[in-house]
Amino acid sequence: MEVAGRVSASVATASLVNAISDAEPPSMTFCGEELERLRADTPGCRERIHLNNAGAGLMPRPVSRAIIEHLELESRIGGYEAAEARTDAVGSAYEAVARLVGGDRRNVAFTENATSAYAQALSAIPFEPGDTILTSSDDYVSNQLMFLSLARRLGVRVERGPNTREGTVDVGAIADFVRRHRPRLVALTHVPTNSGLVQPIADVGRVCRECEVPYLVDVCQSIGQLPLDVEGIGCDFLSATSRKFLRGPRGSGFLIVSDRILQSDCAPLFIDLRGATWTTLDAYRLTDTAARFENWEFAYGLMLGTGAAADYGMGVGIGRIAERVKALAAQTRAGLREAGLRVLDRGAELCGIVTVQIPGWEAKAFHVELEDRGINTSVSTRSFALVDFTEKGVEWALRLSPHYYNTEDEIRDAVSVIADLTGSERRR
């Protein structure tokens, strides 16, 4: 197979090819005709082997069309007027995101990105010196930095729960800590950026509900590739991005806020006029929906694109997507192992993120070699996953993240190129 004439024709040994072919086949719930239609909806498939969906998925045509049409409307009649004219479409975007996670429209807040959503939620917790944030060693780097900033500024303690031998957070130890110490907040990332690990977020949620401890969950890497039910998870806040496996636009995210939070006075530290009404000179009244976590000004075109992405994913079927993505990732891991490479993923459940150690290469040089061959991947460095990569003894890892629109042939080609490069003398 050749993508845009750029993928190397190098083929690894026959044993490698056979191993990839013999790996667990991706779900046949996607017939050839449907897969062709999904790929036709994804223009980028004609140009690249895109295995960087954990970075940014390729937008399907209905998503890019929703954005472009709104931007064109803004250019014709004005930004405020376009938002007013598309009131029904804006409402539908809220509804789509709510359906995606099993929530209600009132619980959805649109934000500029997932980090902004996470920060809004974090700022709503009334931390005091000596309070504890309980998290994991595998939580996303930006979240970890926010915790450390709170520790430096407010004297908050950051505790990281232990992992089981399989690699997931130890729910028993988390439960024991929560019951004994009553942390101010429990925060957990569902799928780390640097690994295929899937954390047992619902199990932790049951503990937090039992003890009435606020619970913040980051689902950036799982939204769009794994089914999510916010009620079943039992969290108070759920932060997400649009651009990854959901296949929405960059620069858009959202926060799901529980009814328990909305029925209290809990609100972000810095509220703007969308989140509250200035009632008297020294008082304000909070908005009774998750809009209290929004800002007045955001990109309506990107919001509509996010709603279209949610609709598109649900139309394909999130359960079917999860099955196929896991199978494609398993095929990738099998091929890399047969090539003699060390796959770094561990956990009782693995998802569509595959990380592998590339010996003898610098990260940027190897990444460029793949890009020159039309293969999109990404790199995770030790600073992204300080605890995890230190324990694994690696400075960086190559990250491959297939999606349901990828083909088995693309996986074979990408693994063959990686095997060829790592077996060559042209290491850098």
Side-chain angles (χ1 to χ4, degrees), residues 95-422:
E95 296 283 356
V97 169
R99 288 196 304 274
L100 181 67
V101 298
D104 190 271
R105 172 176 173 171
R106 69 180 180 278
N107 302 111
V108 178
F110 279 100
T111 60
E112 295 85 349
N113 51 62
T115 299
S116 174
Y118 200 91
Q120 285 289 80
L122 207 56
S123 77
I125 306 298
F127 291 110
E128 297 179 357
D131 283 346
T132 300
I133 298 173
L134 178 59
T135 186
S136 79
S137 297
D138 294 286
D139 266 52
Y140 182 54
V141 56
S142 292
N143 304 347
Q144 299 274 12
L145 293 172
M146 289 187 208
F147 304 152
L148 294 177
S149 177
L150 286 168
R152 177 179 293 183
R153 181 166 294 191
L154 298 179
V156 171
R157 296 173 54 222
V158 181
E159 294 285 344
R160 298 180 180 88
N163 289 337
T164 65
R165 289 183 179 180
E166 292 178 318
T168 57
V169 69
D170 188 328
V171 177
I174 291 289
D176 182 65
F177 188 96
V178 170
R179 291 174 183 134
R180 290 173 55 195
H181 300 288
R182 299 287 170 159
R184 178 68 74 174
L185 175 71
V186 174
L188 201 61
T189 295
H190 191 194
V191 171
T193 189
N194 57 284
S195 170
L197 173 71
V198 180
Q199 296 280 28
I201 52 174
D203 293 341
V204 174
R206 281 189 284 273
V207 174
C208 292
R209 278 191 170 180
E210 172 194 327
C211 299
E212 297 186 340
V213 171
Y215 184 31
L216 167 58
V217 177
D218 176 344
V219 298
C220 275
Q221 295 291 11
S222 55
I223 192 81
Q225 72 151 315
L226 296 175
L228 294 173
D229 174 14
V230 68
E231 186 65 25
I233 293 168
C235 59
D236 294 287
F237 298 102
L238 185 142
S239 64
T241 188
S242 302
R243 75 177 191 274
K244 298 180 184 287
F245 288 95
L246 189 55
R247 304 182 65 191
R250 290 192 73 177
S252 180
F254 53 89
L255 181 69
I256 308 299
V257 185
S258 72
D259 286 335
R260 185 165 82 104
I261 293 296
L262 295 179
Q263 290 162 8
S264 72
D265 289 332
C266 188
L269 179 60
F270 299 109
I271 314 168
D272 88 340
L273 61 89
R274 189 172 180 84
T277 300
W278 195 11
T279 54
T280 66
L281 189 61
D282 298 314
Y284 60 85
R285 182 179 66 255
L286 287 173
T287 302
D288 61 3
T289 71
R292 73 176 67 164
F293 289 85
E294 293 181 337
N295 290 320
W296 170 261
E297 186 57 41
F298 54 78
Y300 279 87
L302 300 184
M303 174 209 280
L304 295 174
T306 298
D311 277 332
Y312 194 90
M314 287 185 291
V316 176
I318 302 299
R320 299 171 68 226
I321 289 171
E323 187 179 353
R324 180 169 174 83
V325 169
K326 286 181 180 180
L328 288 171
Q331 179 190 0
T332 306
R333 293 187 186 98
L336 293 170
R337 288 192 179 105
E338 184 63 24
L341 296 172
R342 180 189 173 201
V343 175
L344 301 172
D345 307 312
R346 59 178 186 160
E349 178 186 356
L350 297 178
C351 66
I353 296 178
V354 179
T355 51
V356 60
Q357 184 178 12
I358 304 295
W361 283 82
E362 292 183 359
K364 183 177 181 180
F366 196 83
H367 186 253
V368 168
E369 290 282 353
L370 292 179
E371 289 232 323
D372 286 346
R373 289 161 172 78
I375 301 172
N376 290 355
T377 60
S378 60
V379 167
S380 286
T381 66
R382 197 168 72 90
S383 63
F384 293 174
L386 194 60
V387 177
D388 185 45
F389 277 17
T390 299
E391 289 179 352
K392 292 173 178 174
V394 295
E395 290 298 319
W396 69 277
L398 184 71
R399 186 180 71 177
L400 302 95
S401 45
H403 215 339
Y404 61 92
Y405 56 76
N406 288 120
T407 67
E408 296 90 329
D409 283 344
E410 287 182 322
I411 301 299
R412 293 187 187 98
D413 284 349
V415 171
S416 293
V417 169
I418 292 169
D420 182 63
L421 288 172
T422 54

